[in-house]
Amino acid sequence: MSPTPATPDTPPSARAHRRRRLLRPLPLAAVGALIASAAVALPQLSPEASAATTLRGYADGPLQNESAYTTVLDREFNSVTAENAMKWDALEPSRNSYNWAAADRLVNHAAAHNQGVRGHTLVWYAQLPSWLKNGNFSASELNTLLKKHIDTTVGRYKGKIYAWDVVNEAFNEDGSMRSSLWQDKLGTGHIANALRWANAADPSAKLYINDYNIEADNAKSDALYNLAKQLLAQGVPLHGIGFQSHFVVGQVPSSMKANLKRFSDLGLEVSVTELDIRIPLPASSAELAQQSTDYKTASENCLGVPRCANVTVWGLTDKYSWVPGTFSGYGAALPYNEGYGAKPAYTGLSNGLNPAA
């Protein structure tokens, strides 16, 4: 998820790595201050299945300076996702003036620890630099700027990022297209263009459309399903759908598995990309137990579907979760508490990722 309170995306498989980092047969994925996620291969269910996490913030605080953070990250996770460090406002705060430092550090850290990197995100309505959103550019100019951004960003990390959330949160809850700089000026065609440009910049990366509140069978997921079918029929290089999965404890949708399967039946990868499960504070022992069950259920919903590629947790520790700053009165959403102690959610997620559990 990003830090923007109005959307769940404010704030994580090159191929999934077949490695063990937990006492469990399959490692988890986590997110941290650098914005990274971890993935684990689940060959019993799908050759590509993995679990991951994201790192929060623009700066690298915990990744650079907090040994407890990196110890858990590097022990438990084999894929990382940038929560904010690869968004446009972080990369190009002034026109033609780039700041790659945090994103580079994340990619380099991942490479040094045999972790895959998931890119997040190229086309989004939020977290645009002021020079872009207030620039009064024409449609032609915006098209050129968007292509340059994708060419530059994807090209810089060619061969180093296994999947990109190319388009993020393009729909309203009723299934209509969300009003945005891109939609209003360029129309829905900007989505196909972005996917084509990203594919040209790195043909090996898997390209995703990512959104929230699409986990259930509803108007929003129906609209995305129809768009996905249309793009595939046109030969557009769309490879997967990212289901953010920001849930409230006890509210994992009962239709989630069947809904993911219909996208998988199109030949697309499906990934849980931003999983967290928030609890009203203070969290009771019963709620923490339910959260553990929910983490297990959500991961099993993906892993039980063909072409499930990844399960990413939107953070590693409650210490750096975006939830309390966005949902008043809620928190305790992640598998580790603020002191890096494993919560019941850790066991639930670990068991969900382990077909033998």
Side-chain angles (χ1 to χ4, degrees):
M1 262 342 241
S2 72
T4 308
T7 170
D9 183 78
T10 50
S13 313
R15 297 294 178 262
H17 306 298
R18 288 166 175 75
R19 306 175 56 207
R20 294 189 181 187
R21 298 187 185 171
L22 301 178
L23 298 179
R24 289 287 171 189
L26 298 170
L28 304 180
V31 174
L34 218 184
I35 311 305
S37 70
V40 60
L42 297 168
Q44 301 95 321
L45 294 174
S46 165
E48 301 301 324
S50 64
T53 184
T54 61
L55 299 183
R56 180 159 178 75
Y58 291 99
D60 314 13
L63 193 66
Q64 292 192 96
N65 305 316
E66 195 166 338
S67 61
Y69 182 91
T70 54
T71 295
V72 174
L73 176 68
D74 297 336
R75 182 186 69 222
E76 307 287 3
F77 301 97
N78 63 10
S79 170
V80 298
T81 299
E83 178 180 338
N84 289 304
M86 292 184 183
K87 289 173 179 171
W88 201 327
D89 61 346
L91 294 180
E92 193 182 5
S94 300
R95 189 173 183 182
N96 297 320
S97 178
Y98 293 91
N99 181 1
W100 302 103
D104 283 355
R105 279 190 289 268
L106 182 148
V107 172
N108 292 338
H109 181 95
H113 295 84
N114 199 22
Q115 295 163 330
V117 179
R118 182 181 185 89
H120 179 81
T121 176
L122 296 170
V123 186
W124 192 30
Y125 72 88
Q127 287 182 247
L128 299 173
S130 58
W131 66 264
L132 177 61
K133 64 184 177 184
N134 299 323
N136 295 316
F137 295 107
S138 68
S140 177
E141 289 171 327
L142 279 177
N143 198 62
T144 298
L145 288 167
L146 182 58
K147 183 178 187 301
K148 179 187 175 187
H149 174 67
I150 292 172
D151 290 347
T152 302
T153 306
V154 178
R156 182 179 184 86
Y157 299 113
K158 181 179 181 180
K160 298 179 180 180
I161 291 182
Y162 66 81
W164 274 101
D165 291 329
V166 177
V167 176
N168 194 47
E169 298 177 357
F171 288 92
N172 294 313
E173 298 304 296
D174 64 1
S176 61
M177 301 305 297
R178 182 194 292 272
S179 176
S180 70
L181 180 66
W182 313 114
Q183 181 65 29
D184 296 348
K185 285 288 188 75
L186 303 179
T188 307
H190 79 275
I191 295 175
N193 285 338
L195 290 162
R196 291 188 177 108
W197 294 332
N199 183 246
D202 187 353
S204 68
K206 295 298 181 74
L207 307 180
Y208 275 66
I209 296 176
N210 188 55
D211 217 321
Y212 65 96
N213 289 351
I214 59 167
E215 297 79 20
D217 188 347
N218 55 33
K220 191 173 188 179
S221 62
D222 285 348
L224 177 53
Y225 179 81
N226 290 332
L227 175 63
K229 284 201 302 182
Q230 177 185 336
L231 292 170
L232 293 172
Q234 295 171 351
V236 176
L238 172 66
H239 306 127
I241 302 297
F243 299 81
Q244 289 185 14
S245 303
H246 296 288
F247 297 133
V248 176
V249 68
Q251 296 183 26
V252 176
S254 60
S255 61
M256 181 178 176
K257 183 176 179 180
N259 185 49
L260 267 62
K261 184 177 184 298
R262 66 169 172 161
F263 285 90
S264 173
D265 287 345
L266 294 177
L268 294 168
E269 290 185 355
V270 292
S271 292
V272 171
T273 53
E274 304 183 17
L275 178 62
D276 55 29
I277 300 172
R278 60 189 181 270
I279 300 176
L281 297 176
S284 68
S285 58
E287 287 169 325
L288 291 171
Q290 180 62 54
Q291 182 187 55
S292 178
T293 298
D294 291 346
Y295 264 104
K296 184 174 187 289
T297 299
S299 55
E300 287 177 338
N301 283 343
C302 186
L303 298 175
V305 170
R307 287 173 288 279
C308 171
N310 177 276
V311 175
T312 294
V313 184
W314 206 238
L316 186 159
T317 165
D318 292 335
K319 183 176 182 179
Y320 296 113
S321 172
W322 71 287
V323 167
T326 303
F327 298 98
S328 179
Y330 284 82
L334 294 170
Y336 287 84
N337 64 28
E338 294 188 1
Y340 295 97
K343 295 157 56 181
Y346 173 93
T347 301
L349 178 60
S350 181
N351 288 342
L353 295 172
N354 179 10

